[in-house]
Amino acid sequence: MPPTASQARREEILRLATTTGLASVDELSQRFGVTASTIRRDLARLTADGRLARTYGGAMALTAHPEASLRQRTGEAYAQKRAIARWAAAEVQPGETVLLDAGSTVGALAHELRTARDLTVATTGLTALHELADVESVHVECLGGTLRPLSQAFVGPLTEAALERMTFDRVFLSADGVTADGGINEADLRQTRLKELMARRAARVYVLAHAEKLGRAPFHAWAALPPGWTLVTHRAASEAQVSAFTGRGVRVVRVEPLEELGDPEEPDPLPHPPGD
């Protein structure tokens, strides 16, 4: 017997909650073209069946969304990340002081900056340190602190204290997910607090995120961003994804694939940082 409309809707609600981490009553109501009361009944049924956990204004998946290690993420959307990194590197001007977050896309940016001259780079990520440690024309500042193994990033009060002593021309941030209204979504509250502080210390704020991360909220820690920030993504991002950001005053750059930027050959793999 085929599922009823309500059963099919509940299965789709469950899929959405598992994929994005959260399901909002208002968003689900608009998506399915039913009343908020109908959605609340669906959520109540899924909660009673032990398949969802209710939250204020919606529900969340019971199964925690697993956080991938930096090494696992390095191979994801590889061509998109390299194209984004190349565009971001072209923004950096000689004589500037820039701040690099941890993350695989920002790590790819650090690789592109190996040819830079007269540049100061501060970073919280081991990948950027690995890429730039032997580049004599780039002065590197390590914002040390407590190492978080999964993200290969320094976090905590020591990192935050080091940030307070510097200002930057540009900051390039990574994200597990990014939304137009919420900002950057991450698995760890220490990371989101740090990203907020990083954004406050820079004149220009960039978030580097490939298309699959746009509109996603797999975790429950958020970093709000100041007005006027720039989202750098890939041409694969849909018009609907992009309009959600431009409608809130975010500058969105969609870069071209690498082969259309004059680099038809497969680039060298990103280096693996030690450990996960």
Side-chain angles (χ1 to χ4, degrees):
M1 173 181 266
T4 65
S6 59
Q7 289 172 333
R9 187 176 59 248
R10 286 195 288 268
E11 289 302 317
E12 180 64 8
I13 290 172
L14 182 63
R15 186 192 69 80
L16 290 170
T18 303
T19 301
T20 65
L22 287 170
S24 159
V25 169
D26 291 338
E27 291 174 351
L28 292 172
S29 176
Q30 293 178 10
R31 182 184 184 93
F32 294 106
V34 296
T35 66
S37 297
T38 299
I39 293 298
R40 291 191 185 95
R41 286 194 294 271
D42 288 336
L43 297 180
R45 176 65 177 271
L46 289 167
T47 302
D49 291 343
R51 305 178 74 188
L52 281 182
R54 289 298 298 271
T55 65
Y56 181 79
M60 61 181 286
L62 284 174
T63 304
H65 196 292
E67 180 188 4
S69 70
L70 179 61
R71 178 172 292 179
Q72 291 170 319
R73 295 196 304 270
T74 296
E76 298 174 351
Y78 180 81
Q80 290 191 28
K81 292 176 181 179
R82 289 301 299 266
I84 291 169
R86 180 165 297 184
W87 184 93
E91 287 285 284
V92 177
Q93 303 300 311
E96 289 189 336
T97 297
V98 300
L99 176 57
L100 300 184
D101 197 4
S104 55
T105 309
V106 180
L109 168 59
H111 180 77
E112 296 291 333
L113 292 176
R114 287 180 56 83
T115 58
R117 295 292 182 269
D118 187 25
L119 189 67
T120 296
V121 174
T123 184
T124 60
L126 287 185
T127 303
L129 287 175
H130 175 87
E131 284 285 3
L132 299 172
D134 62 343
V135 181
E136 294 184 1
S137 60
V138 177
H139 176 73
V140 179
E141 298 282 355
C142 175
L143 303 180
T146 301
L147 180 63
R148 189 168 182 268
L150 268 178
S151 60
Q152 295 287 285
F154 293 109
V155 296
L158 294 179
T159 313
E160 295 169 12
L163 267 178
E164 294 295 333
R165 294 179 174 271
M166 300 183 71
T167 57
F168 307 92
D169 296 293
R170 306 175 198 273
V171 60
F172 296 93
L173 300 171
S174 62
D176 286 330
V178 57
T179 69
D181 54 349
I184 291 176
N185 184 250
E186 293 282 340
D188 188 271
L189 284 169
R190 294 171 300 173
Q191 287 193 167
T192 51
R193 171 176 167 78
L194 186 61
K195 289 174 193 288
E196 284 191 3
L197 294 176
M198 293 168 78
R200 293 174 192 168
R201 304 301 292 174
R204 298 176 182 85
V205 179
Y206 303 80
V207 177
L208 309 185
H210 63 81
E212 294 178 5
K213 293 186 176 183
L214 306 188
R216 295 189 67 243
F219 304 109
H220 306 291
W222 292 89
L225 296 171
W229 60 280
T230 297
L231 170 65
V232 188
T233 187
H234 192 262
R235 198 179 66 179
S238 69
E239 290 296 334
Q241 286 177 305
V242 170
S243 62
F245 291 90
T246 56
R248 288 185 172 265
V250 178
R251 177 193 178 203
V252 179
V253 176
R254 285 190 286 185
V255 302
E256 299 295 325
L258 277 174
E259 58 269 22
E260 296 185 18
L261 292 172
D263 187 8
E265 297 181 0
E266 182 70 16
D268 293 333
L270 294 177
H272 289 314
D276 287 338

